[in-house]
Amino acid sequence: MISVRNVSKSYGEVQALKGIDFEVAEGEIVGLLGPNGAGKSTTIKILTGYFHPDSGSVEIDGRDVITQTKAVQADIGYLPETTPLYPNLSVQAYLKLVADMRNLPPEERPALISEALVATGLVDHRARLISHLSKGLRQRVGLAQAILHKPKLLILDEPTIGLDPTQIVEIRNLIKRLAEHSTILFSSHILSEVEAVCDRVIIIMNGEVKTDDRLVDLAATTDAVLILQTETEGVQDLLLTIDQIETVERFESRDGYPAYRVCGASDVTPVIYDLARQENWPVRELRQETMTLEAIFNRLATAA
């Protein structure tokens, strides 16, 4: 659905993108992440045809964004960070305006508008002025205009920004429903939202793709966590006698129990289990460690 090859973009002497590459397959929900100034917004503007890259190629659904800009823009749904709404129009009048601007077939417009209203939960609000809507409802109107023409690709830039927790859950559930019919590129600074919605993440820092992987694979580590019921002497020294184990860090669990983070080149939980059984340690918990998206993001930011 999206193919980005060796794309670079500069603003004067500032190089925003430095030859980035990535692909998004049809049906995926992919999070596009990056700190401010990393090149994330530039990437979105190139994908949506608002900017052209200095070099490289971009294709969406097999079409070249540079040479077929209008055709690409007609086929994608885009919700920018600042939702493009007309406050003096009703919800239904606004969607009629969008249908007109998109040159949708007149005979199909009533059904398309009705479907967008149903999909975004706006049926009961269709006659209300946009200026009278809450921020959460306005975000839904923005999503309604993005899906009005049933695009294969949805690009959502910070769709939950400024919303309260209840509104965020509503938009999150809506995005999941939309993913049943569309490929979604989802940009957000709220990492928990990306974890809740996306299958895969692309992290851009300093104009380069630092990570492009499935969330489940990113979270996996070879580290293990051992938590004991009571303090036990010699645990750290005995763990370090095992060849596969590289380092052992002593800490306290959230509940105040003695705990050890054990690092190795491969999964070391089986050998820890064998040693614990042999030494009759009072094991409370033994698990393979996983990393949160926040921890992964912060580690990459520190390295950058």
Side-chain angles (χ1 to χ4, degrees), residues 116-132:
L117 289 170
V118 171
T120 53
L122 289 169
V123 173
D124 293 338
H125 305 281
R126 62 186 181 275
R128 295 179 62 186
L129 292 179
I130 291 173
S131 61
H132 294 171

Side-chain angles (χ1 to χ4, degrees), residues 12 26 33 38 43 48 124 134 147 168 178 196 206 210 256 284 293:
E26 186 173 351
L33 307 178
T43 301
T48 52
D124 293 338
S134 67
I147 67 172
I168 287 174
L178 296 175
N206 296 326
K210 294 297 185 181
R284 181 179 178 84
L293 183 56

Side-chain angles (χ1 to χ4, degrees), residues 14-35:
V14 178
Q15 192 171 9
L17 297 177
K18 305 171 184 177
I20 66 170
D21 294 273
F22 65 85
E23 290 188 348
V24 176
E26 186 173 351
E28 283 191 295
I29 310 177
V30 177
L32 182 64
L33 307 178

